[in-house]
Amino acid sequence: MTTQTPTTARPAGAARPARPAGAGTGAGAAQHRWLRFAVRRSGRLLVSLWVLVTAAFLMIHLVPGDPVRASLGPTASAELVAARRESLGLDQPLWVQYATYLRDLLTGDLGTSFGSQLPVADTIAQRLPATATLALLAFLVAVLVAVPVGVAVAVATRRGRAPRTELGFASTSVFLATIPDFLLAVALVWVFGVTLGWLPIAGQDGAASFVLPVLALAVGPAAVLARIVRVEMLAVLETDYVRTARAKRLPPSAVHLGHALPNAVTASLTLGGLLLGQLVAGTVLVESVFAWPGLGSTIVESILAKDYPLVQGTVLVYGVGVLIVNTLVDVALAVLDPRSTIGES
């Protein structure tokens, strides 16, 4: 005779046993957190882009006087000025001009240059690679110099050691960080180009022509970044996990580079992104000093020539570049440190 194991029947409509609190919700909470971060950051980017586009549009309308008259010169006839205004759509109501401007931007049409009569998008596409290369090289040089120097000074001056080294580093970095890029560029031209004749001082012709512009852009950001790296390293070197690594008798290089440096990168990465945006903007004056064939010299020339469509286009490119850099930095911070404010909010 078979004996059946008795089972307890659950009454119809009875609720199922409750799952333990928090079970299976960790992954879902993390996904919602990242989704909120993505939505919020995308919204901020779109609003910033709209403000930038609107400011670039209003630029030509806020300039005192008639921009068309200024570009054609005082001797241009009234009929020519009126015809040019009509061809540019400047005789239409402001809201119509704004709607047309947004429509053209969505199709990649940045207008036509007053001076060259060429599409602004073509001019920017021709000049942008030179500026981007210059800014990226300067950023790499700044990082490759600042990180080792900041780490070395932090290790040497930890707990008040080597006060002369600390004083010399602080004085030198503050001095270099306060020198304007264009003034440093002029000094480099005079010393290494005019006096010593070691390096070319104008144009883009071979690897040697990159040295002075890159130095002029990289020195100030490298000094600022080195100070931040030192401060962050000093804080990390006093943490418990670094003390534990020392107690395990690990080599100093493993302690400093394997344990301390990765945890000191977060604040340095934030500043590094801001410095990259600053480098992009700093190319405007530095390119003018070195006659560099990039967007920096283009925007200066277009301002002097009152070529407002070209000014609008280059301002948009610079602004979009800075916004993209800042967004990438925020995303990198959230990936590297999900517990940070960016990752949790």
Side-chain angles (χ1 to χ4, degrees), residues 134-135 138 142 181 184 212-222 278-279 282-283 286:
L134 190 61
D181 295 339
L184 181 60
L212 294 184
V214 168
L215 284 178
L217 286 171
V219 167
Q278 176 185 338
L279 285 173
T283 57
V286 171

Side-chain angles (χ1 to χ4, degrees), residues 275-301:
L275 290 177
L276 180 56
Q278 176 185 338
L279 285 173
V280 173
T283 57
V284 173
L285 295 178
V286 171
E287 287 186 7
S288 299
V289 173
F290 292 99
W292 194 260
L295 282 182
S297 56
T298 300
I299 192 172
V300 173
E301 295 169 359

Side-chain angles (χ1 to χ4, degrees), residues 65-84:
D66 186 351
V68 176
R69 167 66 69 179
S71 64
L72 294 177
T75 59
S77 63
E79 293 78 8
L80 178 59
V81 173
R84 178 61 64 87

Side-chain angles (χ1 to χ4, degrees), residues 98-123:
Y98 185 62
T100 303
Y101 184 69
L102 293 179
R103 182 200 63 194
D104 292 341
L105 282 182
L106 293 177
T107 60
D109 184 6
L110 298 178
T112 303
S113 169
F114 284 170
S116 64
Q117 297 299 312
L118 296 175
V120 172
D122 293 348
T123 303

Side-chain angles (χ1 to χ4, degrees), residues 26-194:
Q31 291 177 356
H32 288 127
R33 193 163 58 240
W34 281 104
L35 179 60
R36 288 196 302 270
F37 166 71
V39 171
R40 189 187 69 256
R41 196 60 187 85
S42 300
R44 287 171 53 189
L45 178 61
L46 291 176
V47 171
S48 300
L49 284 173
W50 174 75
V51 172
L52 174 64
V53 169
T54 303
F57 167 76
L58 293 176
M59 178 189 304
I60 196 172
H61 298 278
L62 296 178
V63 174
D66 186 351
V68 176
R69 167 66 69 179
S71 64
L72 294 177
T75 59
S77 63
E79 293 78 8
L80 178 59
V81 173
R84 178 61 64 87
R85 287 181 60 83
E86 183 179 358
S87 66
L88 296 173
L90 296 178
D91 59 335
Q92 298 178 351
L94 188 62
W95 69 270
V96 175
Q97 297 182 45
Y98 185 62
T100 303
Y101 184 69
L102 293 179
R103 182 200 63 194
D104 292 341
L105 282 182
L106 293 177
T107 60
D109 184 6
L110 298 178
T112 303
S113 169
F114 284 170
S116 64
Q117 297 299 312
L118 296 175
V120 172
D122 293 348
T123 303
I124 291 176
Q126 181 182 2
R127 297 294 187 96
L128 181 59
T131 296
T133 302
L134 190 61
L136 289 176
L137 286 176
F139 179 72
L140 290 177
V141 169
V143 171
L144 293 177
V145 171
V147 173
V149 170
V151 171
V153 175
V155 173
T157 60
R158 186 171 65 92
R159 294 184 177 179
R161 294 181 298 183
R164 293 184 178 179
T165 301
E166 181 178 359
L167 178 61
F169 170 77
S171 303
T172 303
S173 60
V174 169
F175 173 73
L176 293 177
T178 55
I179 301 177
D181 295 339
F182 73 92
L183 186 59
L184 181 60
V186 172
L188 291 174
V189 167
W190 182 73
V191 174
F192 296 101
V194 177

